[in-house]
Amino acid sequence: MTEPATSACPADTPPASTVAVPADATARARARIELWNRTFRSLYGDPTGEVIHEHPDDRDAARLRPPVTRAQLVARPHALRRLLAPLIVTGKLDSRRRDPDFQQLVVAAMRDYRERPSDFREALAALEEYGRSELGVSPDDGAEPEYLDFQRLLAPEELLRIEPARVAQKDGVSTVSRRVRLRMPFLALRNYLDPKNWLDWGPFFEKVGAVEGEHVNRPDGWHGTFEELFVIDWSHFRVSSFHTFLRVDHTFDSDRVRTDYSLLYEADHQFEEDCGFLEARRVPGRLGWCEYYAEKSVRQRNPPGSLLAPMLAAVFLESGLSALELATIRHNAVLTSSPTARAL
Amino acid sequence: MSSNEDGQAAKVAKVAESGGPPSSAWARALAHDGRDDEREGHDTPADHLQEVHSILWTAALGLTSQRAASQFDNRYRLISPELMADALIILWVLQHNAIEGITSPIRSSLVKLGLWYLQPYFDRIQYYAKETWQDRTGEIRKAFTESFGVDSAVFPTDGPGRPAVPAFPELGIQDAVLTTARYRLTTRVRVECSVLHPYWMIREMVYPWNWKGCLFWDELPEEPLEVPEFLSHEVQPIVVKLPGGSWAESNKRRDVKLKLEVVRTPFMTRIDYEAAEIRNGRHAQDDADVPQRDRWDKEDRPDPKSSRRRVEVRDFFGFMLVEKLPGRPGACRVVLEREGSFGHPNHLYFSEETMGYWVTSELLTFVEAALERAKPRSGSSAKAEAEVPA
């Protein structure tokens, strides 16, 4: 990375900051490589030029696609069968469960397999048979469920996508927004939106923190200068990194929390615009639910970067949303009693 | 500074030495060049303020309104374009030349607003001025250029390129949009803009005790020692000063009962209010009993219809909102909306323009006053912001 230019930059050397650096840097780097690989492959094919032609359901769809919700998996019986059957045959998933969520999953998994089962018992038997005969799984085999996807399967609906993702581009500024509802108490969700906790939002941050001496704490939040180091890796190569200084205003009351941010400068002047906000508020009439909305606008200085900007912003929001969903699942009392949640 | 402005400043200084009160009447004194003023009575600061108020209002209506205005009842008469131009340029000089002992009677943003309103009519003013009084359009064009950073000759006078409310960079006001709608009985106006100042600096502008800069309001309530997060209050009476004419006659001050509710949160502060004129207020008296000095023709008798007590500020209601702008830390969104009606034909006929001038002048003066209040605290930014109240 080149040295920051001195002309437009407010300070030649970045000011001292109370930066939070992740302890598990290696694991995060690995997760970051996987995240960006997955994204680049989905959008542009393999780095070698090979384009993916296989149907996502025929591959390990749950890993290759961006994180999906339970509703999306229920709509794919084929993937659902392949995920559930080994777990049931090997006993990792207790087939004596009779809760509605489990029954719904089993019935959904077998609804287009040969003859449609008439009830849950038939569907369970057919699923076990499918696992033994079609997949060749025996009760002595080991099955390692992907924890994240497994939780999504067994969880009741934690996240409702009430609005499609919006991507707009005007005058070179790409704006991406997401709106969902999360089953999470407001007080628990409030801290996640604090920029000081953005390391939990995904592996793309190498460090975040408020600049020391340039932020003010208030009873209803804080505001000031904030710095972050956002990196993009493709395979083992670092494609780019952005050392961004933002003006941030984090505000909350008993009903709403919002973090506004806008670009002060980027150390290498790679951004012309980077602003947005994250907001969560209680949903009237839905106890324990919050509505979450995120919007981000980016304009990069170099034209290739501008082409990638909508994708970067979208991946950032999606990945953050996925982290938020995972936090929701972890927080949920129903799941903390499940074996998978205990394993986590 | 040009020689014209130098000369103007010298004139103003000369008047100041004579001990005259600071007012727009200097404009008349300087512009008339010895023209006799036959009107009775004496100039007082309130009269000068009323005249400036009327000048800005007339400028907001535009010169085409001169013919349409009611002529038989001159209490709220419009001001002539020559006097408008003269007064504005004098006020401009007053505010941009530090002359000891002289202060401008109104806020600088209102003078700029007047220049903005008049800009489409500079040519016509020049045409009138050649026939009658001294031509000051050169100075007024220069003042416009210095105020808005663009030459008035090349700036659009109409159409989408000319917003109803300009940007005021010194106040941080930008992207202002003024919308009006006229209904059968009432008129609704709404002005909405972004203000590039932190929320804590300008949120106090919604409280009535901070409305002092606006020429429409007077006798405002005292600021309480402690302001709760939710305030429900009734202010009675509060005075609304209607624009028109050159004299601050008592019946131009209308006593109004104001019911208000203010909600303050970390994200927004909003006042909702409704108001109605008090029929038997302190200034309610027969118009025939009040010396109508704004009447040009002494032979005219007051119109019988105007000789009775009538309501001139009909019921109005609205809200004012200051909220943090999402995605723009350090900036706010300000909305002012009001719906109501008037009694006098000159206000009623131009109700959209009058209400538009009302809310626009409120926006400018309230923001300017809020910034002045916050100025001592913003000397050292971080330290001052640490004192931000919850």
Side-chain angles (χ1 to χ4, degrees):
Chain A
M1 231 165 62
T2 58
E3 287 294 319
T6 55
S7 58
C9 193
D12 292 346
T13 56
S17 63
T18 53
V19 173
V21 180
D24 52 343
T26 312
R28 288 176 68 86
R30 202 175 295 129
R32 192 165 58 235
I33 290 168
E34 187 184 340
L35 169 71
W36 291 119
N37 267 359
R38 197 189 307 159
T39 306
F40 283 126
R41 280 167 191 257
S42 301
L43 288 173
Y44 306 111
D46 278 340
T48 57
E50 177 194 349
V51 178
I52 300 170
H53 294 296
E54 296 175 62
H55 191 275
D57 279 356
D58 294 335
R59 298 170 67 116
D60 195 353
R63 294 194 61 183
L64 282 180
R65 282 203 312 270
V68 289
T69 62
R70 180 170 180 267
Q72 288 172 314
L73 272 177
V74 166
R76 291 176 170 79
H78 184 65
L80 200 54
R81 280 199 295 275
R82 293 180 58 145
L83 198 55
L84 277 177
L87 298 176
I88 292 176
V89 172
T90 57
K92 293 283 172 51
L93 186 59
D94 188 3
S95 60
R96 290 170 297 180
R97 290 170 57 132
R98 290 295 180 267
D99 53 286
D101 292 325
F102 180 67
Q103 292 187 7
Q104 183 197 9
L105 284 178
V106 172
V107 171
M110 303 308 291
R111 68 170 183 263
D112 67 340
Y113 181 68
R114 296 179 186 168
E115 292 183 7
R116 187 185 180 96
S118 59
D119 60 358
F120 166 68
R121 290 175 183 280
E122 280 187 31
L124 184 61
L127 189 60
E128 287 181 357
E129 177 60 26
Y130 170 81
R132 288 196 183 91
S133 60
E134 298 285 332
L135 301 182
V137 180
S138 71
D140 300 331
D141 289 343
E144 293 298 329
E146 288 291 327
Y147 283 137
L148 183 61
D149 301 312
F150 187 56
Q151 288 173 75
R152 287 209 170 86
L153 280 176
L154 292 183
E157 199 65 84
E158 304 290 339
L159 182 144
L160 299 174
R161 295 175 191 252
I162 58 174
E163 185 181 278
R166 296 177 186 276
V167 181
Q169 201 156 20
K170 186 182 179 186
D171 299 333
V173 179
S174 310
T175 303
V176 182
S177 70
R178 297 292 282 117
R179 188 188 297 276
V180 298
R181 283 187 178 178
L182 295 161
R183 196 169 68 126
M184 191 174 192
F186 174 75
L187 288 178
L189 184 60
R190 198 175 74 183
N191 287 336
Y192 281 99
L193 266 64
D194 190 340
K196 293 172 181 171
N197 297 325
W198 277 2
L199 274 185
D200 298 334
W201 280 65
F204 29 72
F205 287 124
E206 278 209 335
K207 62 176 181 181
V208 297
V211 177
E212 197 170 349
E214 294 189 21
H215 67 282
V216 177
N217 290 317
R218 307 186 312 256
D220 57 359
W222 67 275
H223 64 269
T225 308
F226 182 81
E227 78 165 296
E228 63 181 28
L229 183 58
F230 184 92
V231 294
I232 300 173
D233 296 336
W234 191 356
S235 186
H236 292 284
F237 298 101
R238 175 157 297 184
V239 178
S240 53
S241 63
F242 306 100
H243 192 188
T244 313
F245 288 81
L246 304 169
R247 175 184 291 160
V248 164
D249 185 353
H250 176 68
T251 311
F252 58 81
D253 61 8
S254 57
D255 189 59
R256 177 163 50 153
V257 55
R258 194 172 75 211
T259 299
D260 302 312
Y261 61 92
S262 68
L263 179 71
L264 280 176
Y265 64 96
E266 202 274 333
D268 287 337
H269 307 290
Q270 298 181 83
F271 280 129
E272 287 180 343
E273 182 165 339
D274 180 10
C275 63
F277 64 99
L278 318 168
E279 185 181 70
R281 56 170 69 197
R282 295 178 197 270
V283 181
R286 297 291 301 273
L287 286 179
W289 282 81
C290 289
E291 186 168 315
Y292 168 79
Y293 181 76
E295 186 176 303
K296 185 176 182 63
S297 298
V298 179
R299 177 188 165 108
Q300 287 200 40
R301 189 166 291 247
N302 59 334
S306 291
L307 283 177
L308 287 176
M311 184 272 288
L312 294 181
V315 171
F316 174 74
L317 289 194
E318 286 296 330
S319 183
L321 197 58
S322 177
L324 204 56
E325 187 188 12
L326 183 59
T328 308
I329 292 169
R330 280 180 171 152
H331 185 272
N332 194 292
V334 177
L335 283 172
T336 47
S337 62
S338 71
T340 312
R342 279 203 302 273
L344 277 171
Chain B
M1 199 166 57
S2 69
S3 60
N4 278 344
E5 283 188 0
D6 276 330
Q8 195 67 36
K11 285 181 180 179
V12 170
K14 190 176 175 183
V15 175
E17 285 170 6
S18 68
S23 76
S24 64
W26 292 344
R28 199 164 53 235
L30 294 174
H32 288 188
D33 291 332
R35 178 175 174 268
D36 291 333
D37 191 348
E38 296 175 350
R39 287 175 292 178
E40 58 189 12
H42 302 283
D43 283 352
T44 64
D47 290 333
H48 304 323
L49 215 55
Q50 176 69 24
E51 189 167 55
V52 172
H53 194 20
S54 306
I55 285 168
L56 293 171
W57 170 62
T58 311
L61 304 188
L63 297 193
T64 51
S65 60
Q66 296 281 347
R67 290 179 185 172
S70 172
Q71 300 295 329
F72 75 94
D73 181 1
N74 287 312
R75 184 158 39 127
Y76 294 111
R77 66 178 175 78
L78 278 59
I79 306 294
S80 67
E82 298 87 350
L83 188 55
M84 274 195 288
D86 285 328
L88 283 175
I89 196 63
I90 295 287
L91 287 168
W92 169 264
V93 172
L94 279 181
Q95 287 170 348
H96 288 77
N97 295 278
I99 302 170
E100 192 176 352
I102 301 179
T103 54
S104 170
I106 61 169
R107 293 191 177 277
S108 61
S109 56
L110 286 182
V111 179
K112 288 186 180 179
L113 183 68
L115 291 173
W116 176 262
Y117 282 148
L118 270 188
Q119 185 257 342
Y121 307 103
F122 282 172
D123 290 340
R124 291 179 61 180
I125 289 174
Q126 191 172 14
Y127 174 76
Y128 291 144
K130 277 179 183 171
E131 300 293 327
T132 55
W133 296 341
Q134 185 180 353
D135 182 12
R136 293 196 188 278
T137 46
E139 297 165 57
I140 208 167
R141 285 181 194 279
K142 189 172 175 56
F144 182 89
T145 307
E146 288 183 9
S147 296
F148 299 104
V150 60
D151 193 340
S152 63
V154 300
F155 199 78
T157 56
D158 200 1
R162 186 178 196 281
V165 183
F168 287 84
E170 69 279 6
L171 298 180
I173 293 175
Q174 65 175 27
D175 303 333
V177 177
L178 177 74
T179 50
T180 62
R182 185 158 190 168
Y183 306 118
R184 192 167 65 88
L185 295 178
T186 59
T187 299
R188 180 193 292 260
V189 295
R190 178 191 179 96
V191 63
E192 185 174 349
C193 69
S194 305
V195 179
L196 305 182
H197 289 289
Y199 171 66
W200 65 268
M201 284 179 77
I202 63 168
R203 68 180 175 186
E204 302 288 323
M205 64 182 264
V206 304
Y207 292 106
W209 45 85
N210 293 328
W211 295 357
K212 285 172 187 162
C214 183
L215 298 176
F216 274 91
W217 298 101
D218 202 1
E219 299 187 26
L220 298 163
E222 292 291 323
E223 181 175 359
L225 292 176
E226 188 177 354
V227 183
E229 288 188 351
F230 178 75
L231 173 69
S232 180
H233 196 43
E234 183 170 321
V235 183
Q236 183 179 357
I238 189 171
V239 169
V240 171
K241 294 189 296 182
L242 291 172
S246 297
W247 306 92
E249 292 156 353
S250 62
N251 57 357
K252 289 177 182 172
R253 300 165 62 84
R254 316 304 294 192
D255 285 341
V256 165
K257 181 174 67 178
L258 189 71
K259 286 171 68 177
L260 57 95
E261 286 184 358
V262 185
V263 182
R264 189 184 69 209
T265 74
F267 292 96
M268 65 96 187
T269 306
R270 192 184 73 226
I271 178 172
D272 301 290
Y273 59 83
E274 58 182 31
E277 184 175 329
I278 304 169
R279 277 186 177 272
N280 297 313
R282 292 165 298 167
H283 308 296
Q285 49 187 321
D286 286 344
D287 289 346
D289 299 339
V290 178
Q292 295 191 32
R293 291 179 293 180
D294 275 312
R295 225 167 354 114
W296 285 104
D297 189 353
K298 295 291 184 294
E299 301 303 320
D300 277 355
R301 296 190 175 186
D303 182 66
K305 287 181 183 175
S306 66
S307 296
R308 58 183 185 226
R309 294 174 189 173
R310 62 183 177 191
V311 172
E312 294 190 342
V313 182
R314 292 181 181 159
D315 298 358
F316 64 93
F317 56 91
F319 71 90
M320 191 190 317
L321 167 74
V322 180
E323 67 172 358
K324 287 188 175 182
L325 202 56
R328 299 277 297 278
C332 292
R333 174 173 166 265
V334 176
V335 183
L336 285 86
E337 185 174 308
R338 174 173 295 134
E339 180 172 339
S341 185
F342 299 101
H344 192 274
N346 280 2
H347 298 134
L348 188 60
Y349 190 84
F350 304 106
S351 60
E352 285 178 273
E353 294 87 345
T354 305
M355 295 275 263
Y357 161 58
W358 191 349
V359 296
T360 307
S361 65
E362 280 181 337
L363 170 71
L364 301 181
T365 53
F366 294 172
V367 171
E368 194 173 348
L371 295 181
E372 277 181 10
R373 278 194 305 275
K375 198 179 285 181
R377 288 194 304 182
S378 60
S380 59
S381 60
K383 188 179 175 183
E385 288 176 10
E387 299 169 4
V388 175

